[in-house]
Amino acid sequence: TTFNTYIADSELLIVGHGSSTSDESTILIKSHAKAIKDQNIFKNVRCGFLKLEPFLTEQLNAIKSDLVHVVPCFSGTGSLTKSVVPKKLGLTGTVTLKKNQKIYYSNPVGSHPKIKKRMCELVRNTILESKLAKNDTTLIVIGHGSIHNSQSEIDTRSIADQLDTLKLSKVIPLFLDQTPNLADWSTLCETTNAIVLGYFFSGGSHETTDIPELMGFSPVNTKHRFNKK
């Protein structure tokens, strides 16, 4: 009861990246925030973005509650969650005392063990529903990657390692901003079938445009996957 009261008195701020070139990059996070808000667990639930309105700084400034939980909705720990977001919000660590507020800053959503478990389930279901031959199927796990921070690569390879237990012909991690690069997927994939698993969270331009184009099919064919409002 004490814990439930504590949560009920606090507000939740979900932070996303957002894209200045795509309003659609906020849809999934906004719907996620609404789903949590509808459960009436927190006093209020907001979402804010780095590159698009509503901006995260404005959203935090609008919160009047004494207790605030900030949750970065990113696939894993990297420069954005470790440096950019905390700096923007004026956070000093996992707990920040700011005026009369106590602000708790959590690990990114993608680092939770249940996320990796869910990804395994999605791939397993795809194999069963499509009746794919495991010995002729490659799983491509796509991460962002970065030449400045290795954490994205580490997290993506961790997902790939766990999915290797499904005993497919091959599981290969590929990246947008480093090697091995997604642009080379057709050379690296030697099987008839391929399952593509994107390690991304927002439904932004990487998922809706960049990945389809790099793989040689029209972004229009994937748009319906990210437009649930």
Side-chain angles (χ1 to χ4, degrees), residues 13-169:
L13 173 59
I14 302 173
V15 174
H17 190 281
S19 171
S20 57
T21 60
S22 172
D23 289 339
E24 293 178 339
S25 64
T26 66
I27 290 175
L28 292 184
I29 293 178
K30 284 179 177 178
S31 63
H32 184 50
K34 183 180 184 303
I36 296 175
K37 187 173 184 177
D38 289 345
Q39 295 180 57
N40 295 315
I41 300 171
F42 294 90
K43 188 174 182 180
N44 194 17
V45 180
R46 303 169 182 264
C47 55
F49 304 91
L50 284 168
K51 299 292 185 179
L52 203 64
E53 292 183 340
F55 293 110
L56 66 165
T57 49
E58 295 172 354
Q59 291 290 71
L60 181 61
N61 291 337
I63 295 175
K64 304 303 180 186
S65 300
D66 294 338
L67 298 171
V68 184
H69 292 273
V70 178
V71 178
C73 197
F74 291 82
S75 58
T77 304
S79 58
L80 289 175
T81 60
K82 290 180 71 175
S83 302
V84 178
V85 170
K87 185 176 181 180
K88 284 274 187 183
L89 295 176
L91 306 181
T92 56
T94 54
V95 181
T96 300
L97 297 177
K98 201 173 183 181
K99 296 182 180 178
N100 296 323
Q101 285 182 329
K102 183 178 283 189
I103 304 170
Y104 294 89
Y105 184 57
S106 78
N107 292 325
V109 172
S111 65
H112 196 285
K114 286 188 176 181
I115 295 295
K116 295 178 181 179
K117 182 180 178 182
R118 178 56 180 155
M119 287 186 163
C120 287
E121 290 174 355
L122 289 172
V123 174
R124 191 177 291 110
N125 291 341
T126 299
I127 294 168
L128 292 173
E129 292 174 10
S130 303
K131 299 179 180 179
L132 299 175
K134 287 189 176 183
N135 61 357
D136 197 20
T137 301
T138 297
L139 172 62
I140 300 172
V141 182
I142 306 172
H144 191 283
S146 170
I147 59 173
H148 304 294
N149 189 302
S150 62
Q151 194 61 51
S152 174
E153 178 181 1
I154 292 170
D155 292 339
T156 305
R157 289 189 181 277
S158 174
I159 293 284
D161 288 343
Q162 290 192 41
L163 292 168
D164 205 24
T165 59
L166 297 176
K167 304 301 180 185
L168 295 172
S169 177

